[in-house]
Amino acid sequence: MYEYIRGTVAEAAPTHAVLDVGGVGYYLHISLETFSAIEHAQTAKLFVHYVVREDAQLLYGFATKTERELFRLLVSVSGVGGNTARMILSTYSPRELQGIISAGNAVLLKNVKGLGLKTAQKIIVELSGKLATLGADEGTPAAAPDSGVVDEALEALVMLGFARTAAEKVLRTVVREEPSASVEELIRMALKRL
């Protein structure tokens, strides 16, 4: 029904944004990826996914068409709702997610809060063939980081005395920037941020 909404950013938070369009405020549920794109913007154009349920009408907003298409693919998987799909897109950028699904890395995908291994495997099985043409206009998907390398780096940081949750968060950021980094490089970059 709605393709996009362009307006003044009246409010921006990590989970939602309010766009003022001619005096009408549209409340859109957003991912962290979209939040980082509009956080300091005066105006924004968000591509919209509109959901009508028995108890609610919801607007989800995305900074890019690729992110919106990934969201739509994720919610097409049985057992994955809007909030879970948004959490996945908040954890991994569209390029990272495409790489993870293409590589079949369910272990890395299940690191998303609230996502179990079976659902992660189901997402990979159902979406692996559907990503070939997605995001061709926005660059090719990045290679997925090897989960063994990430796990090894995480264990090393925990052994050094860092809290697991803090180390995981920093490692996710580092992996986004350098997906092909070795264990040593991941640890070195993570230590600079912890």
Side-chain angles (χ1 to χ4, degrees):
M1 179 175 184
Y2 299 107
E3 176 62 19
Y4 63 84
I5 297 176
R6 184 196 316 263
T8 305
V9 179
E11 184 180 336
T15 59
H16 71 274
V18 176
L19 293 187
D20 184 319
V21 183
V24 177
Y26 291 91
Y27 185 99
L28 297 110
H29 300 274
I30 62 172
S31 68
L32 285 174
E33 183 81 12
T34 296
F35 173 69
S36 64
I38 67 166
E39 182 178 9
H40 301 294
Q42 299 263 334
T43 61
K45 174 182 176 181
L46 295 181
F47 295 94
V48 175
H49 179 76
Y50 181 52
V51 176
V52 178
R53 295 191 324 221
E54 242 179 65
D55 60 339
Q57 294 183 27
L58 307 169
L59 291 172
Y60 290 90
F62 306 95
T64 64
K65 283 187 175 184
T66 300
E67 188 180 12
R68 179 179 64 181
E69 291 311 311
L70 273 171
F71 177 86
R72 288 176 172 171
L73 287 171
L74 287 167
V75 295
S76 74
V77 175
S78 174
V80 178
N83 285 333
T84 302
R86 187 174 60 163
M87 184 65 72
I88 293 168
L89 290 168
S90 291
T91 305
Y92 298 111
S93 73
R95 293 177 74 147
E96 289 171 332
L97 183 59
Q98 286 175 286
I100 289 167
I101 291 171
S102 297
N105 196 339
V107 175
L108 193 57
L109 187 57
K110 83 166 182 61
N111 286 339
V112 175
K113 183 181 177 195
L115 194 67
L117 183 60
K118 285 188 179 185
T119 306
Q121 290 169 334
K122 187 188 253 187
I123 289 169
I124 287 169
V125 167
E126 291 191 27
L127 301 186
S128 59
K130 298 180 180 178
L131 299 178
T133 59
L134 189 62
D137 59 333
E138 296 180 36
T140 55
D146 179 19
S147 66
V149 171
V150 176
D151 290 343
E152 197 174 327
L154 177 61
E155 291 308 316
L157 291 169
V158 170
M159 287 170 61
L160 289 171
F162 293 100
R164 180 173 291 274
T165 53
E168 281 177 343
K169 185 175 181 181
V170 169
L171 276 174
R172 274 198 300 270
T173 304
V174 169
V175 166
R176 281 183 187 162
E177 295 168 5
E178 294 291 331
S180 60
S182 68
V183 175
E184 294 79 18
E185 291 168 332
L186 285 177
I187 294 169
R188 198 174 302 115
M189 289 185 282
L191 285 173
K192 290 178 184 175
R193 298 169 190 222
L194 286 168

